[in-house]
Amino acid sequence: MSEKPNFQVVPLAELSSKGLAPEHVEPKPVVLVVDDEVVIADTLTAILARSGFAAMTAYDGRTALDIVQVIPPDLLLTDIVMPDMSGIDLAIAVTQAVPGCKILLFSGQAGTMDMLAVARDAGHDFSIIAKPIHPAELLVKVSASLQSQSAHTHLQCEIPA
């Protein structure tokens, strides 16, 4: 014998009249963090997630592109120097797949300026920050990038010598 369920079905329209409707929640900005150094990627993702962002992690460019096809990010935060696909190549691919996505590159290597010059010559002007970055500065840079209304951000070079 089947027993009757021990719950009552209530139409959704009645929930708001009883003050039980879910509050309207603003969607969190989606940030995709990409770095082949797992500790760095995971740490940046944790900082962003604890600060109110919907943060996702990828450890290489190919995986990041797979993620972008399913969940388009509002901001790509990627290391420049990675094996197989550089962060600049990833940034270009992401801007083609998600034109409104903001890009913020980071690197701990001074040699990345030549790579940025090639991207700039191809019509891409990305912002860059230096590794290591203090969590408070990271949050300022991410927030500023997301609030930027322009399709192309101005290049900010803070690469250590």
Tab-separated table of all heavy atoms in Angstrom, residues 81-134:
chain	number	residue	atom	x	y	z
A	81	VAL	N	51.592	33.745	-18.624
A	81	VAL	CA	52.515	32.689	-19.025
A	81	VAL	C	52.016	31.341	-18.501
A	81	VAL	O	52.068	31.063	-17.302
A	81	VAL	CB	53.943	32.983	-18.502
A	81	VAL	CG1	54.902	31.884	-18.923
A	81	VAL	CG2	54.419	34.340	-19.004
A	82	MET	N	51.482	30.548	-19.431
A	82	MET	CA	51.000	29.203	-19.114
A	82	MET	C	51.394	28.283	-20.262
A	82	MET	O	51.537	28.734	-21.399
A	82	MET	CB	49.468	29.194	-18.951
A	82	MET	CG	48.953	30.043	-17.815
A	82	MET	SD	47.164	29.869	-17.561
A	82	MET	CE	46.504	30.581	-19.072
A	83	PRO	N	51.550	26.983	-19.984
A	83	PRO	CA	51.888	26.050	-21.063
A	83	PRO	C	50.709	25.874	-22.024
A	83	PRO	O	49.553	26.096	-21.660
A	83	PRO	CB	52.197	24.743	-20.325
A	83	PRO	CG	51.631	24.889	-18.972
A	83	PRO	CD	51.489	26.348	-18.682
A	84	ASP	N	51.012	25.522	-23.247
A	84	ASP	CA	50.043	25.209	-24.301
A	84	ASP	C	49.304	26.435	-24.837
A	84	ASP	O	49.235	26.622	-26.034
A	84	ASP	CB	49.033	24.148	-23.861
A	84	ASP	CG	49.708	22.831	-23.503
A	84	ASP	OD1	50.699	22.477	-24.167
A	84	ASP	OD2	49.260	22.184	-22.550
A	85	MET	N	48.708	27.256	-23.993
A	85	MET	CA	47.986	28.438	-24.437
A	85	MET	C	48.293	29.578	-23.475
A	85	MET	O	48.044	29.466	-22.279
A	85	MET	CB	46.476	28.176	-24.457
A	85	MET	CG	45.650	29.394	-24.828
A	85	MET	SD	43.861	29.125	-24.714
A	85	MET	CE	43.581	28.234	-26.217
A	86	SER	N	48.802	30.675	-24.019
A	86	SER	CA	49.112	31.811	-23.145
A	86	SER	C	47.822	32.480	-22.685
A	86	SER	O	46.759	32.312	-23.306
A	86	SER	CB	49.976	32.837	-23.889
A	86	SER	OG	49.188	33.583	-24.807
A	87	GLY	N	47.924	33.249	-21.622
A	87	GLY	CA	46.773	33.986	-21.140
A	87	GLY	C	46.286	35.018	-22.144
A	87	GLY	O	45.090	35.317	-22.216
A	88	ILE	N	47.197	35.549	-22.956
A	88	ILE	CA	46.808	36.515	-23.981
A	88	ILE	C	45.995	35.818	-25.069
A	88	ILE	O	44.952	36.330	-25.495
A	88	ILE	CB	48.041	37.241	-24.550
A	88	ILE	CG1	48.639	38.129	-23.454
A	88	ILE	CG2	47.674	38.056	-25.786
A	88	ILE	CD1	49.942	38.791	-23.813
A	89	ASP	N	46.456	34.639	-25.524
A	89	ASP	CA	45.683	33.888	-26.515
A	89	ASP	C	44.311	33.508	-25.946
A	89	ASP	O	43.301	33.577	-26.644
A	89	ASP	CB	46.432	32.634	-26.952
A	89	ASP	CG	47.672	32.956	-27.782
A	89	ASP	OD1	47.713	34.051	-28.396
A	89	ASP	OD2	48.592	32.125	-27.807
A	90	LEU	N	44.288	33.133	-24.678
A	90	LEU	CA	43.022	32.814	-24.015
A	90	LEU	C	42.121	34.046	-23.974
A	90	LEU	O	40.929	33.968	-24.290
A	90	LEU	CB	43.272	32.289	-22.603
A	90	LEU	CG	42.042	32.069	-21.732
A	90	LEU	CD1	41.111	31.031	-22.353
A	90	LEU	CD2	42.461	31.655	-20.324
A	91	ALA	N	42.687	35.183	-23.610
A	91	ALA	CA	41.905	36.423	-23.521
A	91	ALA	C	41.292	36.783	-24.871
A	91	ALA	O	40.125	37.179	-24.952
A	91	ALA	CB	42.778	37.559	-23.004
A	92	ILE	N	42.059	36.636	-25.932
A	92	ILE	CA	41.552	36.935	-27.272
A	92	ILE	C	40.409	35.980	-27.620
A	92	ILE	O	39.360	36.402	-28.125
A	92	ILE	CB	42.689	36.876	-28.310
A	92	ILE	CG1	43.661	38.045	-28.066
A	92	ILE	CG2	42.135	36.905	-29.733
A	92	ILE	CD1	44.968	37.942	-28.846
A	93	ALA	N	40.585	34.692	-27.338
A	93	ALA	CA	39.535	33.704	-27.628
A	93	ALA	C	38.273	33.984	-26.817
A	93	ALA	O	37.155	33.865	-27.323
A	93	ALA	CB	40.054	32.294	-27.352
A	94	VAL	N	38.446	34.370	-25.555
A	94	VAL	CA	37.283	34.645	-24.702
A	94	VAL	C	36.556	35.903	-25.180
A	94	VAL	O	35.326	35.931	-25.211
A	94	VAL	CB	37.695	34.761	-23.212
A	94	VAL	CG1	36.559	35.309	-22.360
A	94	VAL	CG2	38.136	33.393	-22.692
A	95	THR	N	37.286	36.937	-25.590
A	95	THR	CA	36.611	38.149	-26.064
A	95	THR	C	35.848	37.882	-27.360
A	95	THR	O	34.842	38.531	-27.622
A	95	THR	CB	37.584	39.327	-26.269
A	95	THR	OG1	38.621	38.945	-27.166
A	95	THR	CG2	38.184	39.782	-24.966
A	96	GLN	N	36.304	36.920	-28.138
A	96	GLN	CA	35.570	36.544	-29.346
A	96	GLN	C	34.328	35.726	-28.994
A	96	GLN	O	33.271	35.894	-29.599
A	96	GLN	CB	36.471	35.766	-30.300
A	96	GLN	CG	37.556	36.638	-30.898
A	96	GLN	CD	38.621	35.855	-31.643
A	96	GLN	OE1	38.696	34.638	-31.564
A	96	GLN	NE2	39.471	36.570	-32.367
A	97	ALA	N	34.432	34.855	-27.996
A	97	ALA	CA	33.296	34.012	-27.593
A	97	ALA	C	32.286	34.783	-26.752
A	97	ALA	O	31.077	34.549	-26.844
A	97	ALA	CB	33.804	32.790	-26.814
A	98	VAL	N	32.771	35.688	-25.895
A	98	VAL	CA	31.914	36.471	-24.996
A	98	VAL	C	32.347	37.935	-25.124
A	98	VAL	O	33.151	38.422	-24.322
A	98	VAL	CB	32.051	35.992	-23.529
A	98	VAL	CG1	31.088	36.741	-22.623
A	98	VAL	CG2	31.860	34.491	-23.411
A	99	PRO	N	31.830	38.650	-26.130
A	99	PRO	CA	32.303	40.011	-26.401
A	99	PRO	C	32.220	40.976	-25.213
A	99	PRO	O	33.046	41.863	-25.094
A	99	PRO	CB	31.400	40.484	-27.541
A	99	PRO	CG	30.961	39.226	-28.209
A	99	PRO	CD	30.849	38.205	-27.112
A	100	GLY	N	31.294	40.815	-24.313
A	100	GLY	CA	31.166	41.719	-23.176
A	100	GLY	C	32.043	41.378	-22.001
A	100	GLY	O	32.075	42.100	-21.004
A	101	CYS	N	32.789	40.289	-22.089
A	101	CYS	CA	33.634	39.850	-20.974
A	101	CYS	C	34.813	40.798	-20.802
A	101	CYS	O	35.517	41.135	-21.755
A	101	CYS	CB	34.140	38.431	-21.223
A	101	CYS	SG	35.131	37.753	-19.874
A	102	LYS	N	35.032	41.245	-19.578
A	102	LYS	CA	36.183	42.080	-19.245
A	102	LYS	C	37.388	41.157	-19.047
A	102	LYS	O	37.237	40.004	-18.639
A	102	LYS	CB	35.942	42.891	-17.973
A	102	LYS	CG	34.693	43.731	-18.006
A	102	LYS	CD	34.764	44.790	-19.056
A	102	LYS	CE	33.493	45.618	-19.001
A	102	LYS	NZ	33.351	46.501	-20.117
A	103	ILE	N	38.574	41.682	-19.311
A	103	ILE	CA	39.801	40.891	-19.221
A	103	ILE	C	40.768	41.576	-18.272
A	103	ILE	O	40.999	42.774	-18.366
A	103	ILE	CB	40.477	40.748	-20.600
A	103	ILE	CG1	39.511	40.200	-21.653
A	103	ILE	CG2	41.746	39.905	-20.492
A	103	ILE	CD1	39.033	38.790	-21.427
A	104	LEU	N	41.337	40.803	-17.369
A	104	LEU	CA	42.374	41.283	-16.470
A	104	LEU	C	43.472	40.220	-16.439
A	104	LEU	O	43.240	39.098	-16.017
A	104	LEU	CB	41.797	41.522	-15.079
A	104	LEU	CG	42.652	42.269	-14.067
A	104	LEU	CD1	43.128	43.605	-14.615
A	104	LEU	CD2	41.864	42.494	-12.790
A	105	LEU	N	44.640	40.580	-16.947
A	105	LEU	CA	45.777	39.662	-17.003
A	105	LEU	C	46.697	39.898	-15.818
A	105	LEU	O	46.775	41.017	-15.313
A	105	LEU	CB	46.566	39.894	-18.295
A	105	LEU	CG	45.791	39.797	-19.609
A	105	LEU	CD1	46.663	40.265	-20.759
A	105	LEU	CD2	45.297	38.399	-19.839
A	106	PHE	N	47.393	38.858	-15.390
A	106	PHE	CA	48.395	39.041	-14.346
A	106	PHE	C	49.611	38.188	-14.660
A	106	PHE	O	49.514	37.177	-15.341
A	106	PHE	CB	47.843	38.753	-12.940
A	106	PHE	CG	47.350	37.357	-12.712
A	106	PHE	CD1	48.184	36.383	-12.183
A	106	PHE	CD2	46.037	37.014	-12.988
A	106	PHE	CE1	47.732	35.102	-11.945
A	106	PHE	CE2	45.565	35.736	-12.755
A	106	PHE	CZ	46.415	34.770	-12.241
A	107	SER	N	50.755	38.660	-14.180
A	107	SER	CA	51.995	37.939	-14.445
A	107	SER	C	53.051	38.335	-13.439
A	107	SER	O	53.037	39.442	-12.918
A	107	SER	CB	52.497	38.260	-15.853
A	107	SER	OG	53.720	37.583	-16.093
A	108	GLY	N	53.947	37.427	-13.205
A	108	GLY	CA	55.083	37.699	-12.341
A	108	GLY	C	56.360	37.814	-13.150
A	108	GLY	O	57.439	37.880	-12.605
A	109	GLN	N	56.232	37.841	-14.493
A	109	GLN	CA	57.397	37.859	-15.354
A	109	GLN	C	57.447	39.140	-16.174
A	109	GLN	O	56.471	39.508	-16.825
A	109	GLN	CB	57.373	36.654	-16.291
A	109	GLN	CG	57.385	35.339	-15.531
A	109	GLN	CD	57.425	34.145	-16.461
A	109	GLN	OE1	57.766	34.269	-17.618
A	109	GLN	NE2	57.088	32.983	-15.943
A	110	ALA	N	58.582	39.796	-16.164
A	110	ALA	CA	58.742	41.054	-16.883
A	110	ALA	C	58.691	40.856	-18.400
A	110	ALA	O	58.328	41.764	-19.133
A	110	ALA	CB	60.058	41.719	-16.492
A	111	GLY	N	59.005	39.678	-18.897
A	111	GLY	CA	59.039	39.416	-20.332
A	111	GLY	C	57.687	39.410	-21.019
A	111	GLY	O	57.610	39.267	-22.239
A	112	THR	N	56.626	39.595	-20.279
A	112	THR	CA	55.294	39.542	-20.882
A	112	THR	C	54.954	40.791	-21.683
A	112	THR	O	53.984	40.787	-22.442
A	112	THR	CB	54.215	39.327	-19.806
A	112	THR	OG1	54.308	40.370	-18.846
A	112	THR	CG2	54.385	37.987	-19.127
A	113	MET	N	55.724	41.846	-21.556
A	113	MET	CA	55.432	43.084	-22.286
A	113	MET	C	55.484	42.870	-23.798
A	113	MET	O	54.692	43.450	-24.532
A	113	MET	CB	56.392	44.201	-21.867
A	113	MET	CG	56.185	44.667	-20.422
A	113	MET	SD	54.463	45.052	-19.996
A	113	MET	CE	54.179	46.454	-21.049
A	114	ASP	N	56.403	42.029	-24.273
A	114	ASP	CA	56.464	41.737	-25.705
A	114	ASP	C	55.198	41.025	-26.166
A	114	ASP	O	54.672	41.308	-27.245
A	114	ASP	CB	57.691	40.872	-26.029
A	114	ASP	CG	59.008	41.622	-25.837
A	114	ASP	OD1	58.990	42.870	-25.865
A	114	ASP	OD2	60.034	40.948	-25.655
A	115	MET	N	54.702	40.116	-25.349
A	115	MET	CA	53.462	39.409	-25.689
A	115	MET	C	52.286	40.384	-25.742
A	115	MET	O	51.427	40.294	-26.615
A	115	MET	CB	53.194	38.301	-24.665
A	115	MET	CG	54.247	37.206	-24.655
A	115	MET	SD	54.052	36.066	-23.267
A	115	MET	CE	52.599	35.170	-23.779
A	116	LEU	N	52.256	41.331	-24.806
A	116	LEU	CA	51.187	42.326	-24.797
A	116	LEU	C	51.263	43.240	-26.015
A	116	LEU	O	50.240	43.642	-26.559
A	116	LEU	CB	51.242	43.153	-23.517
A	116	LEU	CG	50.762	42.439	-22.265
A	116	LEU	CD1	51.074	43.275	-21.037
A	116	LEU	CD2	49.291	42.146	-22.351
A	117	ALA	N	52.473	43.558	-26.456
A	117	ALA	CA	52.642	44.416	-27.631
A	117	ALA	C	52.071	43.733	-28.868
A	117	ALA	O	51.413	44.374	-29.696
A	117	ALA	CB	54.115	44.756	-27.832
A	118	VAL	N	52.278	42.434	-29.005
A	118	VAL	CA	51.731	41.685	-30.138
A	118	VAL	C	50.202	41.722	-30.088
A	118	VAL	O	49.541	41.946	-31.105
A	118	VAL	CB	52.254	40.226	-30.135
A	118	VAL	CG1	51.528	39.376	-31.156
A	118	VAL	CG2	53.750	40.208	-30.391
A	119	ALA	N	49.628	41.519	-28.921
A	119	ALA	CA	48.166	41.571	-28.773
A	119	ALA	C	47.646	42.966	-29.082
A	119	ALA	O	46.621	43.129	-29.757
A	119	ALA	CB	47.755	41.147	-27.365
A	120	ARG	N	48.346	43.981	-28.625
A	120	ARG	CA	47.943	45.367	-28.858
A	120	ARG	C	47.966	45.670	-30.358
A	120	ARG	O	47.074	46.318	-30.883
A	120	ARG	CB	48.840	46.316	-28.074
A	120	ARG	CG	48.265	47.692	-27.903
A	120	ARG	CD	49.050	48.590	-26.950
A	120	ARG	NE	50.474	48.311	-26.794
A	120	ARG	CZ	51.027	47.737	-25.723
A	120	ARG	NH1	50.295	47.399	-24.695
A	120	ARG	NH2	52.316	47.520	-25.668
A	121	ASP	N	48.991	45.168	-31.054
A	121	ASP	CA	49.088	45.360	-32.510
A	121	ASP	C	47.937	44.681	-33.240
A	121	ASP	O	47.553	45.100	-34.325
A	121	ASP	CB	50.422	44.835	-33.040
A	121	ASP	CG	51.611	45.688	-32.596
A	121	ASP	OD1	51.390	46.844	-32.150
A	121	ASP	OD2	52.751	45.193	-32.687
A	122	ALA	N	47.376	43.635	-32.629
A	122	ALA	CA	46.235	42.925	-33.220
A	122	ALA	C	44.902	43.549	-32.802
A	122	ALA	O	43.843	42.999	-33.095
A	122	ALA	CB	46.276	41.449	-32.824
A	123	GLY	N	44.958	44.673	-32.076
A	123	GLY	CA	43.730	45.378	-31.711
A	123	GLY	C	43.175	45.045	-30.341
A	123	GLY	O	42.054	45.416	-30.019
A	124	HIS	N	43.947	44.360	-29.509
A	124	HIS	CA	43.502	44.002	-28.164
A	124	HIS	C	44.338	44.760	-27.140
A	124	HIS	O	45.558	44.679	-27.154
A	124	HIS	CB	43.641	42.490	-27.929
A	124	HIS	CG	42.908	41.667	-28.933
A	124	HIS	ND1	41.553	41.466	-28.873
A	124	HIS	CD2	43.332	41.024	-30.037
A	124	HIS	CE1	41.180	40.720	-29.894
A	124	HIS	NE2	42.246	40.437	-30.613
A	125	ASP	N	43.665	45.475	-26.254
A	125	ASP	CA	44.366	46.273	-25.252
A	125	ASP	C	43.887	45.811	-23.872
A	125	ASP	O	42.800	46.170	-23.443
A	125	ASP	CB	44.057	47.757	-25.465
A	125	ASP	CG	45.017	48.661	-24.733
A	125	ASP	OD1	46.087	48.181	-24.304
A	125	ASP	OD2	44.694	49.845	-24.577
A	126	PHE	N	44.672	44.972	-23.222
A	126	PHE	CA	44.274	44.360	-21.965
A	126	PHE	C	44.964	45.015	-20.775
A	126	PHE	O	46.088	45.495	-20.889
A	126	PHE	CB	44.609	42.864	-21.965
A	126	PHE	CG	43.960	42.088	-23.071
A	126	PHE	CD1	44.721	41.381	-23.982
A	126	PHE	CD2	42.580	42.059	-23.198
A	126	PHE	CE1	44.131	40.648	-24.996
A	126	PHE	CE2	41.977	41.342	-24.208
A	126	PHE	CZ	42.751	40.630	-25.113
A	127	SER	N	44.284	44.990	-19.622
A	127	SER	CA	44.895	45.452	-18.376
A	127	SER	C	45.720	44.329	-17.784
A	127	SER	O	45.403	43.153	-17.940
A	127	SER	CB	43.813	45.855	-17.366
A	127	SER	OG	43.145	47.010	-17.788
A	128	ILE	N	46.784	44.711	-17.081
A	128	ILE	CA	47.648	43.704	-16.469
A	128	ILE	C	48.033	44.149	-15.063
A	128	ILE	O	48.227	45.340	-14.814
A	128	ILE	CB	48.909	43.449	-17.336
A	128	ILE	CG1	49.771	42.348	-16.738
A	128	ILE	CG2	49.686	44.721	-17.545
A	128	ILE	CD1	50.851	41.853	-17.683
A	129	ILE	N	48.115	43.183	-14.175
A	129	ILE	CA	48.582	43.429	-12.814
A	129	ILE	C	49.716	42.456	-12.512
A	129	ILE	O	49.843	41.422	-13.154
A	129	ILE	CB	47.444	43.305	-11.770
A	129	ILE	CG1	46.754	41.949	-11.869
A	129	ILE	CG2	46.441	44.423	-11.932
A	129	ILE	CD1	45.668	41.734	-10.832
A	130	ALA	N	50.534	42.815	-11.555
A	130	ALA	CA	51.709	42.007	-11.227
A	130	ALA	C	51.402	41.004	-10.135
A	130	ALA	O	50.629	41.263	-9.232
A	130	ALA	CB	52.852	42.916	-10.798
A	131	LYS	N	52.054	39.847	-10.233
A	131	LYS	CA	52.038	38.858	-9.169
A	131	LYS	C	53.267	39.123	-8.312
A	131	LYS	O	54.315	39.457	-8.871
A	131	LYS	CB	52.182	37.435	-9.721
A	131	LYS	CG	50.992	36.809	-10.325
A	131	LYS	CD	51.260	35.326	-10.394
A	131	LYS	CE	51.079	34.650	-11.668
A	131	LYS	NZ	51.338	33.260	-11.747
A	132	PRO	N	53.226	38.934	-7.052
A	132	PRO	CA	52.017	38.644	-6.259
A	132	PRO	C	51.182	39.905	-6.071
A	132	PRO	O	51.697	41.011	-6.172
A	132	PRO	CB	52.583	38.156	-4.925
A	132	PRO	CG	53.912	38.842	-4.810
A	132	PRO	CD	54.436	38.994	-6.232
A	133	ILE	N	49.916	39.708	-5.790
A	133	ILE	CA	49.018	40.834	-5.577
A	133	ILE	C	48.346	40.676	-4.222
A	133	ILE	O	47.961	39.560	-3.837
A	133	ILE	CB	47.983	40.951	-6.708
A	133	ILE	CG1	47.133	42.207	-6.532
A	133	ILE	CG2	47.131	39.706	-6.818
A	133	ILE	CD1	46.299	42.572	-7.735
A	134	HIS	N	48.223	41.761	-3.510
A	134	HIS	CA	47.541	41.737	-2.212
A	134	HIS	C	46.053	41.533	-2.451
A	134	HIS	O	45.500	42.092	-3.402
A	134	HIS	CB	47.800	43.065	-1.482
A	134	HIS	CG	47.314	43.056	-0.070
A	134	HIS	ND1	46.007	43.299	0.257
A	134	HIS	CD2	47.968	42.795	1.089
A	134	HIS	CE1	45.869	43.200	1.564
A	134	HIS	NE2	47.048	42.902	2.096
